[in-house]
Amino acid sequence: MTLETPAARARTAGDRGIPLSPAQQAALAPERLGRSAAANLFTALEFPAACAPSVVERAAVLSARHEILRTVYPDDRRAPYGRVESDSTVAVEVVEIGETGLAAAIMADAGHRFDTVRQPPIRLRLYRLGAKAVLSVALHPVAGDDRSLELLVAELFSDAPAVSVRQYREFAAEQTKQLAAAGESLAYWTQRLTGLPEQLLRAGERPE
């Protein structure tokens, strides 16, 4: 008998591929079909610079607790899926900056384009401005919603001990089963969509 460590479980899940929820598939659709970037979830917070080291430390803990933050989404035309990267961590990029350049940097962070095929769906940048610091958090919608972003930020600034959390893929699996058991509703749309082409939108670059 062998004991399966969390890292081993993550590798196993990643090798298998994690099915995506309908919301995740919808979040990836603009990029995979229209090649246009999805709108990020974003926030920026100002706090005393003395708190910066603890925020950087908690970011690494964050990715260990929430595997969706270290999940990539291979560009597979057959069926979309996620793959957990067991050795990936959420790194905070620390930047020394002046007040005059801060606003432009924050705007650029909000519009950051994620490479969801190869990179984690979250980006953290810490700007140091003397006695204060500003943390920008950009989250791709495939990995969360507004409430998720609030909870992640709360974890970054909380001194409470970490507790076990339920992983999103568990919820996604349950939701898929519920949708499959929807009966008449599912049968109705299956019948209506039968025979339609798999891709309705033409892939390619669109004007800004």
Side-chain angles (χ1 to χ4, degrees), residues 10-176:
R11 282 195 299 272
T12 302
D15 292 341
R16 254 196 330 260
I18 301 172
L20 305 187
S21 69
Q24 288 181 301
Q25 294 184 45
L28 289 177
E31 298 170 357
R32 301 293 165 90
L33 297 179
R35 305 301 178 190
S36 57
N40 296 330
L41 303 162
F42 183 79
T43 189
L45 304 99
E46 180 181 318
F47 54 94
C51 300
S54 60
V55 171
V56 172
E57 291 177 5
R58 292 190 191 111
V61 177
L62 199 70
S63 62
R65 280 166 47 76
H66 304 284
E67 64 182 26
I68 196 170
L69 299 180
R70 46 191 169 84
T71 298
V72 295
Y73 302 88
D75 194 2
D76 192 320
R77 295 182 181 276
R78 295 167 297 177
Y81 67 93
R83 186 181 68 234
V84 178
E85 300 292 311
S86 58
D87 58 348
S88 177
T89 58
V90 177
V92 181
E93 182 182 352
V94 180
V95 180
E96 300 288 343
I97 196 171
E99 287 281 0
T100 55
L102 181 61
I106 292 295
M107 290 297 293
D109 291 345
H112 173 71
R113 184 160 185 170
F114 286 96
D115 180 2
T116 54
V117 175
R118 302 174 185 84
Q119 299 173 342
I122 188 170
R123 185 172 186 256
L124 304 174
R125 299 190 88 187
L126 179 67
Y127 297 97
R128 300 181 64 94
L129 301 94
K132 70 176 182 179
V134 175
L135 178 72
S136 77
V137 184
L139 183 69
H140 192 284
V142 75
D145 53 18
D146 290 330
R147 180 56 177 158
S148 303
L149 182 59
E150 291 177 4
L151 294 173
L152 291 175
V153 170
E155 283 192 42
L156 285 172
F157 289 90
S158 173
D159 290 326
V163 296
S164 60
V165 294
R166 190 182 185 205
Q167 300 301 330
Y168 181 80
R169 62 186 172 93
E170 298 173 15
F171 163 78
E174 289 182 3
Q175 186 183 52
T176 301

